[in-house]
Amino acid sequence: MTTIREIKREVAAATDSAEKAQYLIEDYFGWSSSQVMMEADRELTVAEESKLREMADRLKSGEPLQYVTGRAYFRGRYYKVDGNVLIPRPETSELVDWVLEEKMPDARVIDIGTGSGIIACSIKEERRKWEVAALDVSSRALEVAAENAGELNIRFVLDDILNLRDRALLDDFNIVVSNPPYVLNREKADMERHVLDYEPHLALFVPDDDPLKFYRRIAELLKESHDRVPTKRWLFFEINEAFSSETMDMMLSLGYVEVECRNDAYGKPRMCRGALV
């Protein structure tokens, strides 16, 4: 029979990563790193060995570790992820931090293009009195997001922000946050295989000739809503660092004020916000 130590060694060799092997064992058994060491000589059951080898094969083929384990860590908790949603990125946590700086006691927030729901869930976790909604064009993504929300009281909306059925939808909200698709099609050639082959292209790419496609539409819809219901609104975006100036100019041209971009922890302009008053 194969032991924990032996399967860990095999996974490390297959994936060329001792770190991935360690994480896979920890995640599969729900153990800490010290528990893995203590159980190193325990023999695997047939079912355990079969499942771990299957997961190792998936890793070897290039599938991201988070999809293999079915979960990803973000802001202190694990979220379900699969091929229908993007894997959370650290810079998105910084966008959440920026939204949470708002002191509105009656904030009503909608996360557009929610994917796995990490933005909506994180905001609701930390601001239980805020009303939070989440919109996505993918029904499968919303299923993942709803599972991640659990008992959190989040409203989920299935709709296409580019062809919104309910044009009055945004009238209910005074904070809009979005991490929409922003990777140019021409950037595919430079992307890592595990992203290009496994993460949903619907949530990643925009046409080379219209990089602000989603940003402009969201900003326009919120402006239309503000014209109908003139109360202060905030719009927060995660952005492509190459288009920070263009994003700000677009928002200013639509009448947004207090427009600014903020750098991420690596010094890159990755977030932008503006207000309608």
Side-chain angles (χ1 to χ4, degrees):
M1 298 291 288
T2 304
T3 65
I4 297 288
R5 188 191 311 277
E6 289 167 341
I7 196 70
K8 180 182 170 184
R9 189 181 299 122
E10 288 182 28
V11 173
T15 61
D16 197 27
S17 173
E19 184 179 358
K20 284 184 179 180
Q22 177 73 20
Y23 182 88
L24 192 68
I25 301 296
E26 290 177 11
D27 187 86
Y28 181 77
F29 289 102
W31 291 343
S32 65
S33 57
S34 60
Q35 284 177 294
V36 174
M37 292 178 62
M38 291 172 60
E39 298 285 345
D41 294 318
R42 179 169 85 73
E43 293 184 343
L44 297 167
T45 66
V46 173
E48 289 169 346
E49 183 175 352
S50 175
K51 183 62 177 178
L52 286 168
R53 290 189 188 283
E54 181 252 319
M55 296 171 81
D57 286 342
R58 291 170 63 186
L59 287 174
K60 188 177 181 180
S61 72
E63 187 172 354
L65 178 64
Q66 294 89 339
Y67 288 160
V68 173
T69 63
R71 62 180 191 160
Y73 190 75
F74 185 77
R75 294 182 68 87
R77 63 169 283 198
Y78 284 97
Y79 288 87
K80 175 182 177 179
V81 292
D82 62 23
N84 297 297
V85 299
L86 295 179
I87 296 168
R89 268 65 170 180
E91 54 268 23
T92 303
S93 182
E94 297 179 67
L95 177 66
V96 171
D97 285 335
W98 203 6
V99 175
L100 292 175
E101 289 177 14
E102 289 306 311
K103 304 303 181 185
M104 296 179 181
D106 63 339
R108 301 177 305 282
V109 184
I110 185 166
D111 171 26
I112 295 176
T114 196
S116 63
I118 57 167
I119 292 176
C121 291
S122 296
I123 291 171
K124 187 64 177 179
E125 283 271 17
E126 299 189 45
R127 296 291 186 272
R128 293 301 180 103
K129 293 184 179 180
W130 287 11
E131 295 180 21
V132 178
L135 178 148
D136 206 283
V137 69
S138 167
S139 60
R140 292 185 176 180
L142 286 181
E143 290 173 5
V144 174
E147 186 171 337
N148 283 326
E151 298 301 316
L152 294 173
N153 184 20
I154 296 175
R155 172 188 171 195
F156 291 99
V157 181
L158 177 63
D159 210 335
D160 179 0
I161 196 63
L162 297 178
N163 298 284
L164 198 62
R165 292 189 298 268
D166 180 6
R167 296 296 288 270
L169 174 68
L170 298 187
D171 294 359
D172 294 337
F173 303 99
N174 52 21
I175 296 178
V176 174
V177 59
S178 183
N179 177 18
Y182 58 69
V183 181
L184 300 179
N185 278 314
R186 67 170 179 260
E187 295 179 283
K188 288 180 180 179
D190 299 321
M191 295 182 72
E192 295 183 17
R193 178 186 164 195
H194 66 84
V195 175
L196 195 58
D197 289 354
Y198 291 96
E199 297 202 55
H201 288 201
L202 180 67
L204 284 170
F205 295 108
V206 289
D208 292 342
D209 61 354
D210 194 6
L212 300 185
K213 177 179 180 179
F214 288 92
Y215 297 90
R216 185 184 311 105
R217 190 61 187 140
I218 293 167
E220 289 172 345
L221 287 169
L222 188 59
K223 178 63 167 61
E224 291 176 13
S225 176
H226 180 264
D227 291 342
R228 289 190 298 268
V229 185
T231 185
K232 186 171 184 178
R233 316 287 188 89
W234 280 106
L235 175 57
F236 291 83
F237 284 131
E238 183 173 322
I239 65 172
N240 184 326
E241 63 185 89
F243 297 103
S244 58
S245 296
E246 291 85 345
T247 304
M248 292 177 68
D249 290 345
M250 178 272 294
M251 295 176 75
L252 288 167
S253 72
L254 290 171
Y256 285 79
V257 298
E258 301 179 60
V259 175
E260 61 176 315
C261 281
R262 182 177 284 190
N263 291 346
D264 64 13
Y266 301 99
K268 298 178 180 180
R270 295 302 308 277
M271 295 157 278
C272 190
R273 77 168 185 181
L276 292 167
V277 296

